[in-house]
Amino acid sequence: MIVAKFGGTSVADAGAIARLARIVGSRAADRPVVVVSALAKVTDALLALAPLVHAGDAAGLDTAIAALLDRHAATARSLPGAEGVIPAIAEDAAALRRELGAAFGRMLRPAELDAVAGRGELWSSRVVAAALEGAGLAATWVDIRPLMVTDDRYGRATPQMQALTARARECLRPLADAGRIPVTQGFIGATAEGTPTTLGRGGSDFTAALLGAALGARRVEIWTDVNGLMTADPRIVPSARTLRAASYEEAAELATFGAKVLHPATAQPLVRAGIPIVVLNSTCPDDPGTIVEPSAELERLGDSPVRSISWKRGITVVNVRAPRMLGAHGFLRAMFEVFERHEVVVDVLASGEVSVSLTVEDRSRLDAVVRDLSELGDVWIESGRAIVAVVGIGMRSTPGIAARLFRAVQPANVEVISQGASAINVTFVVREEDGPGVVRRLHQEFFGTC
Ligand code: ADP
Ligand code: ASP
Ligand code: MG
């Protein structure tokens, strides 16, 4: 079996879905399980309903939901044989309108927000399953929620691998054995009690990987709008090149620090079984893409030991200065306990004799974190920052990288520098407005173009 995941742009409209059908048809012998995202931008549009509910804007809500329904209906109508799904989507859109109407004038609770956000995948998967049928492929729409059992951390729920493995095998294998192609949703799951959850933005890649691991798939294909994992985001560096290969570790580092092409957790479920991920372009299906696997050979990208450069904006640096820290034990533990207590994720850490700097992305609980940290020392925060990550297995064995790197970054001011224990990345913080320029200069330094 293989798992083939199609992202938002790969199901954006009827043309994209027709291409998807051709790609899936070409893989029929591999017994594919198809995972889809919502149509491009639909998750954003669904989340944008929440402020309308809060404002009690009934007319705005009607218009927005009608626009979403129209888009799905128009897409289905343009695909041979797919029109039959429109009533089911219309019925669910009406149910959504009723649910939201009942919440008028207040903020949606996290659980309610997940139930709203997940609609995009439920609708797109219906259209795709019908389109595959219309294209002569034996597709079966599968609701992933009873399989993808998660905890109740709404907005970033954690799946239970054991339940998923048992249920995916029980439900999806017989379909594949019978020559059918299951079509299911990325991004969503449900608690054991059946309350809908989501795995976090961009989570469909993670779904595909989880299913790949559960089913012991031969590979997980991630179909997207670029030719694979590239030397930098092509939106920042138009001359970025596609990598033929990368290791799980490199892919995870790049994704964690902003390479949106893969969700940061994608490689995680696949490591143990060594199942490869192949990142492919749904508009150029014959392109070989990037293979992400344990033993990715180092290819020669010029003479560069660097594989790729990523960056992530919206970062806040939290600094703690505590003269008492000098020679004291237990300080770091006390500090990390604060972050743990408030469930705030720390991305990058740099420590000196009497001060520590950490970066966080989620500002929602920052005030509470700062208050608690103030009991340990002087605390100050710097916002509007970006993390830049330079990643490559080859950096481990190449001297002089740091010197080249920091020379290239100039004149931008570098704030927090860190290197992971595996020595395959160097990360540092710059001002947000300096980020794109820094990425371009680094690309020029290590790949000769920008
Ligand atoms: P999908 O909707 O298919 O999941 P995403 O928009 O989530 O697609 O991810 C694809 C985008 O990731 C690309 O269009 C590209 O702009 C961006 N991206 C960022 N960094 C990289 C990188 N290093 N390699 C490839 N794409 C990247
Ligand atoms: N549709 C979801 C999102 O936009 C999940 C995904 O596309 O991976 O975040
Ligand atoms: Mg994505």
Short mmCIF file of all heavy atoms in Angstrom, two decimals, residues 241-278:
data_model
loop_
_atom_site.label_atom_id
_atom_site.label_comp_id
_atom_site.label_asym_id
_atom_site.label_seq_id
_atom_site.Cartn_x
_atom_site.Cartn_y
_atom_site.Cartn_z
N ARG A 241 16.67 25.61 -5.59
CA ARG A 241 16.70 24.34 -6.33
C ARG A 241 16.00 23.24 -5.55
O ARG A 241 15.96 23.26 -4.32
CB ARG A 241 18.14 23.92 -6.60
CG ARG A 241 18.73 24.66 -7.78
CD ARG A 241 20.17 24.28 -7.96
NE ARG A 241 21.04 25.12 -7.14
CZ ARG A 241 22.31 24.84 -6.89
NH1 ARG A 241 22.84 23.73 -7.35
NH2 ARG A 241 23.04 25.67 -6.17
N THR A 242 15.50 22.24 -6.27
CA THR A 242 14.84 21.12 -5.61
C THR A 242 15.89 20.10 -5.16
O THR A 242 16.81 19.78 -5.91
CB THR A 242 13.86 20.43 -6.59
OG1 THR A 242 13.01 21.43 -7.14
CG2 THR A 242 13.03 19.38 -5.89
N LEU A 243 15.72 19.61 -3.95
CA LEU A 243 16.64 18.59 -3.45
C LEU A 243 16.17 17.22 -3.96
O LEU A 243 14.98 16.96 -3.99
CB LEU A 243 16.61 18.58 -1.92
CG LEU A 243 16.96 19.90 -1.23
CD1 LEU A 243 16.66 19.81 0.26
CD2 LEU A 243 18.44 20.20 -1.46
N ARG A 244 17.12 16.38 -4.33
CA ARG A 244 16.72 15.03 -4.71
C ARG A 244 16.41 14.21 -3.47
O ARG A 244 15.55 13.35 -3.47
CB ARG A 244 17.83 14.36 -5.52
CG ARG A 244 17.64 14.53 -7.02
CD ARG A 244 18.60 13.67 -7.80
NE ARG A 244 19.97 14.13 -7.66
CZ ARG A 244 20.93 13.48 -7.03
NH1 ARG A 244 20.69 12.31 -6.49
NH2 ARG A 244 22.14 13.98 -6.93
N ALA A 245 17.16 14.49 -2.38
CA ALA A 245 16.99 13.69 -1.16
C ALA A 245 17.25 14.53 0.08
O ALA A 245 17.94 15.54 0.02
CB ALA A 245 17.96 12.51 -1.20
N ALA A 246 16.69 14.09 1.18
CA ALA A 246 16.97 14.68 2.49
C ALA A 246 16.72 13.60 3.53
O ALA A 246 16.01 12.62 3.26
CB ALA A 246 16.07 15.88 2.74
N SER A 247 17.34 13.76 4.69
CA SER A 247 17.10 12.78 5.76
C SER A 247 15.88 13.21 6.56
O SER A 247 15.46 14.37 6.50
CB SER A 247 18.32 12.67 6.66
OG SER A 247 18.47 13.89 7.39
N TYR A 248 15.31 12.30 7.34
CA TYR A 248 14.18 12.64 8.20
C TYR A 248 14.54 13.83 9.09
O TYR A 248 13.73 14.73 9.32
CB TYR A 248 13.84 11.49 9.15
CG TYR A 248 13.24 10.26 8.52
CD1 TYR A 248 13.68 9.00 8.92
CD2 TYR A 248 12.22 10.34 7.59
CE1 TYR A 248 13.11 7.86 8.40
CE2 TYR A 248 11.66 9.19 7.06
CZ TYR A 248 12.11 7.95 7.47
OH TYR A 248 11.56 6.83 6.96
N GLU A 249 15.75 13.75 9.65
CA GLU A 249 16.18 14.77 10.60
C GLU A 249 16.25 16.15 9.95
O GLU A 249 15.80 17.15 10.52
CB GLU A 249 17.57 14.37 11.10
CG GLU A 249 17.76 14.47 12.56
CD GLU A 249 19.18 14.07 12.94
OE1 GLU A 249 19.87 13.38 12.16
OE2 GLU A 249 19.59 14.47 14.04
N GLU A 250 16.82 16.18 8.75
CA GLU A 250 16.90 17.46 8.04
C GLU A 250 15.51 17.99 7.72
O GLU A 250 15.22 19.18 7.91
CB GLU A 250 17.68 17.29 6.73
CG GLU A 250 19.17 17.10 6.94
CD GLU A 250 19.84 16.68 5.64
OE1 GLU A 250 19.37 15.74 4.97
OE2 GLU A 250 20.87 17.30 5.29
N ALA A 251 14.63 17.10 7.27
CA ALA A 251 13.27 17.53 6.92
C ALA A 251 12.57 18.08 8.16
O ALA A 251 11.87 19.10 8.10
CB ALA A 251 12.47 16.36 6.34
N ALA A 252 12.77 17.42 9.30
CA ALA A 252 12.11 17.86 10.53
C ALA A 252 12.64 19.23 10.97
O ALA A 252 11.87 20.11 11.37
CB ALA A 252 12.30 16.83 11.63
N GLU A 253 13.96 19.42 10.88
CA GLU A 253 14.53 20.72 11.25
C GLU A 253 14.00 21.83 10.35
O GLU A 253 13.59 22.89 10.81
CB GLU A 253 16.07 20.70 11.13
CG GLU A 253 16.79 19.80 12.11
CD GLU A 253 16.83 20.36 13.53
OE1 GLU A 253 16.38 21.49 13.75
OE2 GLU A 253 17.31 19.63 14.42
N LEU A 254 14.01 21.56 9.04
CA LEU A 254 13.55 22.59 8.10
C LEU A 254 12.09 22.93 8.34
O LEU A 254 11.70 24.10 8.34
CB LEU A 254 13.72 22.08 6.65
CG LEU A 254 15.15 22.02 6.17
CD1 LEU A 254 15.24 21.26 4.85
CD2 LEU A 254 15.70 23.44 6.00
N ALA A 255 11.28 21.90 8.57
CA ALA A 255 9.85 22.12 8.77
C ALA A 255 9.60 22.88 10.08
O ALA A 255 8.79 23.80 10.13
CB ALA A 255 9.11 20.79 8.77
N THR A 256 10.34 22.52 11.13
CA THR A 256 10.17 23.20 12.42
C THR A 256 10.47 24.68 12.28
O THR A 256 9.84 25.52 12.91
CB THR A 256 11.11 22.58 13.47
OG1 THR A 256 10.79 21.20 13.55
CG2 THR A 256 10.94 23.22 14.84
N PHE A 257 11.45 25.00 11.45
CA PHE A 257 11.85 26.40 11.32
C PHE A 257 11.31 27.04 10.04
O PHE A 257 11.98 27.83 9.40
CB PHE A 257 13.36 26.53 11.44
CG PHE A 257 13.84 26.10 12.81
CD1 PHE A 257 14.66 25.00 12.96
CD2 PHE A 257 13.42 26.77 13.94
CE1 PHE A 257 15.06 24.58 14.24
CE2 PHE A 257 13.80 26.36 15.21
CZ PHE A 257 14.63 25.27 15.35
N GLY A 258 10.09 26.65 9.65
CA GLY A 258 9.38 27.45 8.67
C GLY A 258 9.17 26.88 7.28
O GLY A 258 8.43 27.48 6.51
N ALA A 259 9.81 25.76 6.92
CA ALA A 259 9.56 25.21 5.58
C ALA A 259 8.19 24.53 5.57
O ALA A 259 8.05 23.37 5.92
CB ALA A 259 10.66 24.23 5.17
N LYS A 260 7.20 25.30 5.17
CA LYS A 260 5.80 24.91 5.30
C LYS A 260 5.46 23.68 4.45
O LYS A 260 4.41 23.07 4.62
CB LYS A 260 4.98 26.12 4.83
CG LYS A 260 3.55 26.09 5.19
CD LYS A 260 2.90 27.37 4.66
CE LYS A 260 1.41 27.17 4.51
NZ LYS A 260 0.91 27.62 3.21
N VAL A 261 6.33 23.35 3.53
CA VAL A 261 6.05 22.25 2.60
C VAL A 261 5.78 20.93 3.33
O VAL A 261 5.05 20.08 2.84
CB VAL A 261 7.19 22.14 1.55
CG1 VAL A 261 8.51 21.81 2.20
CG2 VAL A 261 6.86 21.15 0.46
N LEU A 262 6.33 20.75 4.52
CA LEU A 262 6.02 19.58 5.36
C LEU A 262 5.66 20.05 6.77
O LEU A 262 6.31 20.95 7.30
CB LEU A 262 7.23 18.65 5.47
CG LEU A 262 7.55 17.73 4.30
CD1 LEU A 262 8.78 16.88 4.63
CD2 LEU A 262 6.38 16.83 3.94
N HIS A 263 4.66 19.41 7.36
CA HIS A 263 4.36 19.67 8.77
C HIS A 263 5.54 19.14 9.60
O HIS A 263 6.09 18.07 9.29
CB HIS A 263 3.06 18.94 9.14
CG HIS A 263 2.61 19.16 10.54
ND1 HIS A 263 3.12 18.44 11.59
CD2 HIS A 263 1.72 20.02 11.06
CE1 HIS A 263 2.55 18.86 12.71
NE2 HIS A 263 1.70 19.82 12.41
N PRO A 264 5.95 19.85 10.66
CA PRO A 264 7.15 19.44 11.40
C PRO A 264 7.12 18.00 11.92
O PRO A 264 8.17 17.37 12.05
CB PRO A 264 7.19 20.42 12.59
CG PRO A 264 6.44 21.62 12.12
CD PRO A 264 5.41 21.12 11.14
N ALA A 265 5.94 17.46 12.19
CA ALA A 265 5.88 16.10 12.78
C ALA A 265 5.82 14.99 11.73
O ALA A 265 5.74 13.82 12.07
CB ALA A 265 4.67 16.00 13.71
N THR A 266 5.85 15.36 10.44
CA THR A 266 5.59 14.36 9.40
C THR A 266 6.52 13.14 9.48
O THR A 266 6.07 12.00 9.35
CB THR A 266 5.69 15.00 8.00
OG1 THR A 266 4.93 16.20 8.00
CG2 THR A 266 5.16 14.06 6.93
N ALA A 267 7.80 13.39 9.67
CA ALA A 267 8.75 12.26 9.64
C ALA A 267 8.60 11.34 10.85
O ALA A 267 8.83 10.13 10.76
CB ALA A 267 10.18 12.79 9.56
N GLN A 268 8.17 11.95 11.97
CA GLN A 268 8.14 11.24 13.26
C GLN A 268 7.56 9.82 13.24
O GLN A 268 8.23 8.88 13.66
CB GLN A 268 7.33 12.10 14.22
CG GLN A 268 7.79 12.17 15.62
CD GLN A 268 6.87 13.17 16.34
OE1 GLN A 268 5.70 12.87 16.57
NE2 GLN A 268 7.37 14.35 16.63
N PRO A 269 6.34 9.62 12.74
CA PRO A 269 5.77 8.26 12.81
C PRO A 269 6.48 7.27 11.89
O PRO A 269 6.29 6.07 12.04
CB PRO A 269 4.32 8.45 12.34
CG PRO A 269 4.09 9.91 12.19
CD PRO A 269 5.41 10.59 12.13
N LEU A 270 7.28 7.78 10.94
CA LEU A 270 7.82 6.92 9.89
C LEU A 270 9.24 6.44 10.18
O LEU A 270 9.76 5.56 9.51
CB LEU A 270 7.79 7.66 8.55
CG LEU A 270 6.40 8.14 8.15
CD1 LEU A 270 6.47 9.04 6.94
CD2 LEU A 270 5.49 6.95 7.88
N VAL A 271 9.86 7.06 11.20
CA VAL A 271 11.27 6.80 11.47
C VAL A 271 11.50 5.32 11.78
O VAL A 271 12.38 4.68 11.20
CB VAL A 271 11.77 7.68 12.64
CG1 VAL A 271 13.16 7.26 13.09
CG2 VAL A 271 11.75 9.14 12.22
N ARG A 272 10.68 4.78 12.69
CA ARG A 272 10.95 3.41 13.17
C ARG A 272 10.91 2.40 12.02
O ARG A 272 11.78 1.55 11.90
CB ARG A 272 9.94 3.02 14.26
CG ARG A 272 10.35 1.76 14.99
CD ARG A 272 10.16 1.89 16.47
NE ARG A 272 8.76 2.21 16.76
CZ ARG A 272 7.89 1.37 17.31
NH1 ARG A 272 8.25 0.18 17.66
NH2 ARG A 272 6.66 1.74 17.55
N ALA A 273 9.91 2.51 11.16
CA ALA A 273 9.80 1.54 10.06
C ALA A 273 10.62 1.96 8.84
O ALA A 273 10.72 1.22 7.87
CB ALA A 273 8.34 1.39 9.68
N GLY A 274 11.20 3.17 8.88
CA GLY A 274 12.03 3.63 7.75
C GLY A 274 11.23 3.83 6.48
O GLY A 274 11.74 3.66 5.37
N ILE A 275 9.97 4.20 6.62
CA ILE A 275 9.12 4.41 5.43
C ILE A 275 9.47 5.76 4.78
O ILE A 275 9.46 6.78 5.46
CB ILE A 275 7.62 4.39 5.82
CG1 ILE A 275 7.26 3.01 6.41
CG2 ILE A 275 6.73 4.74 4.64
CD1 ILE A 275 5.91 2.96 7.10
N PRO A 276 9.80 5.75 3.49
CA PRO A 276 10.17 7.04 2.87
C PRO A 276 8.98 7.96 2.61
O PRO A 276 7.87 7.50 2.37
CB PRO A 276 10.82 6.62 1.54
CG PRO A 276 10.33 5.25 1.28
CD PRO A 276 9.94 4.62 2.58
N ILE A 277 9.27 9.27 2.64
CA ILE A 277 8.29 10.29 2.23
C ILE A 277 8.79 10.81 0.87
O ILE A 277 9.98 11.09 0.73
CB ILE A 277 8.31 11.49 3.20
CG1 ILE A 277 8.08 11.04 4.64
CG2 ILE A 277 7.30 12.55 2.79
CD1 ILE A 277 8.44 12.11 5.68
N VAL A 278 7.90 10.93 -0.08
CA VAL A 278 8.29 11.53 -1.36
C VAL A 278 7.44 12.79 -1.55
O VAL A 278 6.22 12.72 -1.51
CB VAL A 278 8.08 10.57 -2.55
CG1 VAL A 278 8.80 11.11 -3.78
CG2 VAL A 278 8.58 9.17 -2.23
#
